[in-house]
Amino acid sequence: MKLKTMLDLLAEASALSGQTDYIVIGSLSILALEENFDVPHEMAMSNDVACYTRADPERIFDVMGELGEHSPRHRRTGCFSDPVSPALPSLPDGWEARLNAVARAGVKAWCLDPNDAALSKYARGEPRDRRWIRAGLRASVVSMPIVRSRLQRMEFFDQQEADKARQLIDEDEAWFQQGLPQH
C-alpha cells in the first residue's frame, strides 16, 4: 500500500464518521515516513489499515460496514479499514509523544514510530510481524538499541507475552549481528 491509498481510505472514514484524526497502529504506520525514504515492500504489503479515531476511538467501528473487511470498498479496491481498540496493542511508555503525523485531504493520520511498532509486533510475534521488523532493521528504520531501550518501559498483556517478545528480540539481534542476511 502507498500513503495516498491509506489517506484516501481515512478520508472516506472521515466522511462517514465525522472524525478527522486517526491513530494508525499496524504495519502501515510506516507509510508516514514514505516521503522520507523508500519503504521496503515487506513493510507495506498489508491491505488493511489498523486504526481508530483519535478523539472518540469507538467511532471507528461505525465505518466497518462501508470500509471494513469484505465491505464494498474492500471488494472495489482490495484494501480496507481494520478498526481496532486503543487497548489492543502492547506499546512502550511514551509512544503517543512519538507518533508521526501526516495530513492531507482534511484528515490526519497519527502513525506509530517504527520502533514502537516493532515492539508491538514482537509482543504479537507472528511470522509476518518478524518479516516486517527484519525489513525495518535492514532499512535502518528500526533500531535494535532503541527497541531494547524501550523494552524496559513496555507494559505487556502478561508474562508469557513479555517472555516471547524478549526471546524474539534476542533472536533478531543475533540475526542482525550476523551480517544482515536477505531472508
Side-chain angles (χ1 to χ4, degrees):
M1 186 177 295
K2 295 289 189 186
L3 177 61
K4 181 189 180 319
T5 305
M6 180 176 78
L7 291 173
D8 288 348
L9 175 66
L10 295 179
E12 288 183 50
S14 179
L16 292 168
S17 70
Q19 301 294 302
T20 58
D21 289 36
Y22 295 83
I23 304 289
V24 178
I25 64 165
S27 297
L28 296 177
S29 61
I30 193 65
L31 296 178
L33 303 180
E34 183 182 271
E35 295 172 343
N36 300 321
F37 86 112
D38 291 328
V39 175
H41 174 72
E42 300 93 337
M43 296 183 86
M45 38 190 292
S46 181
N47 66 341
D48 63 296
V49 179
C51 64
Y52 59 89
T53 48
R54 189 171 190 189
D56 184 3
E58 296 302 314
R59 290 294 301 277
I60 193 64
F61 294 97
D62 295 346
V63 304
M64 280 187 65
E66 291 295 318
L67 305 178
E69 190 170 19
H70 308 298
S71 68
R73 187 189 204 287
H74 184 200
R75 289 190 296 276
R76 187 176 73 252
T77 67
C79 62
F80 61 96
S81 171
D82 181 13
V84 295
S85 164
L88 175 68
S90 294
L91 291 165
D93 287 343
W95 67 270
E96 291 166 310
R98 293 185 293 269
L99 291 169
N100 295 303
V102 181
R104 286 206 193 94
V107 296
K108 187 179 261 188
W110 297 85
C111 300
L112 284 181
D113 169 85
N115 295 292
D116 292 335
L119 277 161
S120 180
K121 290 177 169 302
Y122 278 125
R124 198 165 67 171
E126 293 182 10
R128 63 184 173 169
D129 295 322
R130 300 287 298 284
R131 287 190 297 276
W132 188 96
I133 294 165
R134 287 183 173 195
L137 287 165
R138 284 192 301 272
S140 299
V141 71
V142 173
S143 163
M144 199 50 79
I146 293 173
V147 167
R148 284 243 180 241
S149 171
R150 292 182 188 168
L151 178 64
Q152 306 310 313
R153 298 184 314 272
M154 184 90 170
E155 189 170 320
F156 290 97
F157 177 70
D158 59 21
Q159 190 60 47
Q160 182 179 359
E161 184 183 74
D163 292 344
K164 179 180 173 184
R166 286 182 178 88
Q167 176 190 344
L168 297 176
I169 290 168
D170 289 345
E171 289 174 11
D172 280 355
E173 189 166 44
W175 167 85
F176 188 71
Q177 290 173 352
Q178 292 176 359
L180 295 172
Q182 291 303 306
H183 300 289

